[in-house]
Amino acid sequence: MRPSKILTTAALAATAATAATAATLATAGTAGAADTATQSLPVQVVRAGQVVDTGHGVDLQLNQTDRCLGTPEAWSCKSVVDGNQAPDSVSLQTQGDASGTLYSPLYIGSGKVARMTVTADGVTYDVQVVTLAGHPGYSTGWAWGAPQADLNDIPQVTVFDKAGGVLAQF
């Protein structure tokens, strides 16, 4: 597998070229995201520490302070409380190989997430949203897609509330 990478809103704004690419992707992905509105997956509520099988040998695990992705032998964890991601924003961790790409968005904020989408290489994927019970201040999830055709392509992520409003996007 390729090493995972984490994209954040701040990282996207790091260069003018990256910002221009993100703007192009946001425009291109809007129609695709709207097309998937009727295909929304139910939010999966899990216990802290519960391992969620995403398929392809990669697991997801949530607790009060971290979201972890990987295997019990090799977790890649992202703190949800250290302030390294701005409130009411979304980041994206990806990993993959010739068989497919795992997209795992992480929304940190005050909104209640009902749906997430990832658009990559012109295809929009509905994300299986996963969260802890109550209002933990974050939601994550996963979707498997085709292998990325262009590794420099920056996927678009959109996070929606129950009414269809956008909570965060890049």
Side-chain angles (χ1 to χ4, degrees):
M1 292 218 153
R2 287 191 309 260
S4 65
K5 61 183 177 182
I6 298 176
L7 301 172
T8 64
T9 307
L12 288 173
T15 66
T18 301
T21 302
T24 301
L25 287 171
T27 303
T30 302
D35 293 344
T36 62
T38 60
Q39 300 172 10
S40 182
L41 301 169
V43 173
Q44 183 178 1
V45 179
V46 298
R47 296 178 317 278
Q50 179 179 338
V51 175
V52 177
D53 181 4
T54 71
H56 302 269
V58 181
D59 296 325
L60 180 67
Q61 188 177 52
L62 287 63
N63 62 50
Q64 295 300 324
T65 60
D66 298 294
R67 184 270 272 143
C68 299
L69 193 63
T71 65
E73 296 82 30
W75 290 110
S76 172
C77 297
K78 166 95 168 103
S79 174
V80 297
V81 296
D82 66 4
N84 283 334
Q85 182 173 326
D88 298 317
S89 70
V90 63
S91 62
L92 179 68
Q93 184 173 355
T94 64
Q95 65 184 49
D97 56 24
S99 67
T101 302
L102 172 67
Y103 299 99
S104 183
L106 173 62
Y107 168 78
I108 296 177
S110 57
K112 186 166 174 115
V113 176
R115 185 171 154 254
M116 294 185 199
T117 61
V118 173
T119 302
D121 294 326
V123 178
T124 299
Y125 302 97
D126 276 309
V127 172
Q128 173 59 65
V129 176
V130 181
T131 191
L132 297 172
H135 194 72
Y138 78 99
S139 291
T140 188
W142 57 272
W144 281 97
Q148 281 186 276
D150 179 0
L151 296 180
N152 294 316
D153 179 42
I154 299 171
Q156 176 192 359
V157 181
T158 307
V159 181
F160 301 92
D161 63 16
K162 187 176 180 177
V166 174
L167 295 171
Q169 184 175 38
F170 79 75

